[in-house]
């Protein structure tokens, strides 16, 4: 797995995961939608920790900065 999630993307994913978790644990969003947001938040945290999003290659997206040879 080649990293395809950049630092800004990681930060956005973590913030969204915190927001989704907060919605769930404060009972702002409940039921199936609440569970879906919680699961989506867990996925966002996991993909930011491993720096790889499996959907990005399918869409041709890579938010990692390109490394230049010196």
């Amino acid at each position: 797995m080649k990293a395809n999630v950049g630092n800004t993307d990681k930060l956005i994913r973590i913030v969204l995961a915190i927001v989704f978790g907060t919605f769930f644990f404060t009972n702002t969003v409940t039921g199936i939608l609440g569970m879906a947001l919680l699961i989506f938040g867990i996925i966002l945290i996991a993909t930011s920790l491993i720096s790889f999003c499996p959907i990005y290659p399918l869409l041709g997206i890579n938010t990692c900065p390109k490394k230049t040879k010196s």
Side-chain angles (χ1 to χ4, degrees):
M1 291 185 308
K2 186 176 181 182
N4 63 4
V5 177
N7 290 334
T8 305
D9 196 355
K10 286 181 186 181
L11 180 63
I12 292 169
R13 288 169 182 264
I14 291 170
V15 168
L16 282 175
I18 291 169
V19 169
F20 293 162
T22 302
F23 284 164
F24 178 78
F25 290 113
T26 61
N27 290 324
T28 303
V29 180
T30 58
I32 294 174
L33 181 58
M35 287 299 295
L37 283 179
L38 182 64
I39 291 168
F40 189 60
I42 292 169
I43 292 169
L44 289 174
I45 291 286
T47 56
S48 67
L49 289 176
I50 62 173
S51 298
F52 179 77
C53 179
I55 296 174
Y56 277 9
L58 299 173
L59 300 175
I61 300 172
N62 185 353
T63 60
C64 271
K66 303 216 186 250
K67 294 181 181 178
T68 58
K69 292 183 180 179
S70 300

